Amino acid sequence: MPEFDSARLDAEFSTYRAAMLPAITPDGPTAVRRTVRRRRRRAAITVAAALVVAVAVPMAGQAGLRRDPGPPATATPTPSDSPTPSISSAPPAPDGRIERTELLAATVDLPTWDDLPERPDGKACGSRGIRLSGDPVGDDANLLVEMGYGDVDRDGATETVVLVRCLFGTRGPAQVVAFDRDTAGRIVTLGRVAATADPTPEWLIGLEVRADGVTRVAMADRAPGPGWPLEQSQRQWRGYRWDGNRFKQTEGPSGFGPNPHAADLSVSSSNLALAREPGDSFAGTIEVRVRNASAGEVAEAVLSFDLPWQLRPVGDGWKRCRENMAVALAPYRCTLGRLAPHADIRLTLGLKRAQGTPLASGKATIELFGSGADGTALLERERDDNLATFTHYYR
């Protein structure tokens, strides 16, 4: 560039600076402070907004997780008129579950035995302030046979149900009893569930308590004993439910029909008074009574006579027998045949002492047997009354 042009440019820039510099005034301290405060406010607002967003987003997510699904968008929500549930202040029912060892160690009351069949030995069983026995081979009264547990009174707590027998090895009596606890924890008697009775049931076999509170009792019409196996007894289950005051039967049969294996026969006889007849013979009659006290039929009843050999049957009274007693030989048997339920038969039977056969006064016996339709012997709980003894003498 020519030196002239350079000089001209320098002159122009000098003139421009001289004209513009007076119009340019730099910011003072006050202006600087205003600028700093404005920038700080913008920064604080920005930070606060960021914090609000950071907190609101997770809270909204959690609320969405907790909230139950609402009604469809088209449904109009209505306020609920359900009453506010009240909290009951009633205490829970006491737990009536009593373990065997605790029950055997406790003193308890039982429903009285007085209204039940007596023990065969005539002894009495206590019912107030007694201790139950756990020895099945002993001779103690009030034997604890079996236990069960369940809510029998429907109060929400468990009760204890036991089978108690007045004396082990006899035909009873026995009863099923429910125990509970009072609020102090003491054992109390709730009530009798079931018991033996006359004529049936003679035997209580066992028990179970169902979940619905029904106590089921297994029982038999005949009790086991000498000459009577339990297998020949009729058995059934009966169910009992607590009605708030006592146990009532709600399930099962109310009685037993005639036992096809059983009979209740008896025989009795008057004495034999022998009077002299023409020649050297003596004769007389006895009145024999045969009874079937059971509700079942006896297919065949038989009388067996244990007589001195000097005495033999005579007369029309023996025509009831199937055998021809005129030609029969000792020992004498008289087959009567069928005995209807509750039959009562009376026979007048003649006996004669033959000539030339001396016979001193003494005793003779008659025994009664029964059999079923299949020919098997019928069992009886008592056979003492199946044997009759009479005295023969001279008048």
Side-chain angles (χ1 to χ4, degrees):
M1 176 182 293
E3 183 178 345
F4 175 77
D5 291 337
S6 176
R8 290 183 61 182
L9 286 174
D10 291 338
E12 291 291 338
F13 278 117
S14 295
T15 303
Y16 175 78
R17 283 195 300 271
M20 295 299 298
L21 284 174
I24 301 172
T25 302
D27 291 336
T30 301
V32 171
R33 285 194 293 271
R34 284 198 300 269
T35 301
V36 170
R37 283 197 298 270
R38 186 168 57 250
R39 290 177 177 174
R40 287 177 177 174
R41 282 198 299 272
R42 285 199 298 266
I45 292 172
T46 303
V47 171
L51 290 174
V52 170
V53 172
V55 172
V57 169
M59 289 183 64
Q62 293 179 10
L65 291 174
R66 290 194 301 268
R67 186 168 59 248
D68 292 334
T74 57
T76 302
T78 58
S80 173
D81 58 355
S82 300
T84 302
S86 61
I87 300 176
S88 174
S89 60
D95 183 9
R97 184 183 182 93
I98 309 165
E99 299 301 332
R100 179 182 176 86
T101 53
E102 180 185 2
L103 187 59
L104 290 176
T107 299
V108 298
D109 292 336
L110 294 176
T112 179
W113 296 98
D114 295 343
D115 58 337
L116 302 182
E118 294 183 357
R119 283 170 35 171
D121 58 8
K123 296 180 181 179
C125 282
S127 58
R128 294 292 180 266
I130 55 94
R131 294 277 293 272
L132 299 178
S133 171
D135 183 7
V137 297
D139 194 34
D140 296 333
N142 296 318
L143 174 72
L144 176 59
V145 179
E146 188 175 348
M147 303 179 67
Y149 300 98
D151 185 6
V152 298
D153 60 2
R154 313 307 291 162
D155 64 351
T158 299
E159 286 77 45
T160 302
V161 184
V162 301
L163 169 57
V164 182
R165 188 161 293 130
C166 183
L167 185 67
F168 181 77
T170 71
R171 289 188 295 272
Q175 57 181 322
V176 174
V177 181
F179 290 107
D180 203 351
R181 295 185 194 271
D182 60 16
T183 55
R186 294 184 294 264
I187 299 175
V188 294
T189 304
L190 183 61
R192 175 192 289 164
V193 181
T196 52
D198 187 14
T200 63
E202 286 185 352
W203 194 252
L204 301 185
I205 303 171
L207 65 91
E208 68 175 20
V209 183
R210 288 199 320 233
D212 62 357
V214 171
T215 300
R216 300 179 71 228
V217 181
M219 52 188 64
D221 61 339
R222 298 281 180 152
W228 184 270
L230 187 58
E231 290 75 15
Q232 303 289 1
S233 299
Q234 296 181 107
R235 310 183 197 189
Q236 58 185 223
W237 284 94
R238 299 182 188 179
Y240 300 83
R241 186 182 290 277
W242 178 254
D243 69 356
N245 296 302
R246 62 189 182 92
F247 286 92
K248 290 185 177 180
Q249 184 181 351
T250 57
E251 299 178 5
S254 58
F256 291 90
N259 189 314
H261 305 287
D264 188 4
L265 302 176
S266 64
V267 61
S268 60
S269 174
S270 65
N271 291 325
L272 173 64
L274 296 170
R276 183 183 292 275
E277 291 185 334
D280 190 24
S281 63
F282 290 81
T285 59
I286 55 175
E287 300 294 329
V288 177
R289 184 180 183 184
V290 175
R291 288 176 289 178
N292 175 18
S294 60
E297 177 182 286
V298 176
E300 188 164 272
V302 177
L303 289 170
S304 176
F305 294 83
D306 184 12
L307 304 174
W309 66 269
Q310 295 93 335
L311 293 177
R312 59 169 292 104
V314 293
D316 294 339
W318 296 89
K319 289 183 177 180
R320 176 66 187 265
C321 306
R322 289 181 182 173
E323 296 82 0
N324 182 356
M325 303 304 292
V327 295
L329 300 176
Y332 301 109
R333 288 171 58 89
C334 173
T335 303
L336 299 174
R338 174 183 176 273
L339 288 183
H342 306 293
D344 190 339
I345 299 174
R346 298 173 187 270
L347 305 171
T348 301
L349 305 177
L351 293 170
K352 183 176 182 178
R353 193 204 79 176
Q355 295 181 2
T357 56
L359 173 65
S361 298
K363 294 183 180 298
T365 59
I366 308 171
E367 190 168 6
L368 176 61
F369 299 91
S371 59
D374 59 356
T376 59
L378 296 177
L379 302 175
E380 300 188 52
R381 66 178 187 179
E382 293 284 358
R383 283 201 54 84
D384 291 345
D385 58 357
N386 286 55
L387 186 68
T389 301
F390 65 91
T391 301
H392 54 84
Y393 61 96
Y394 297 93
R395 64 179 182 183

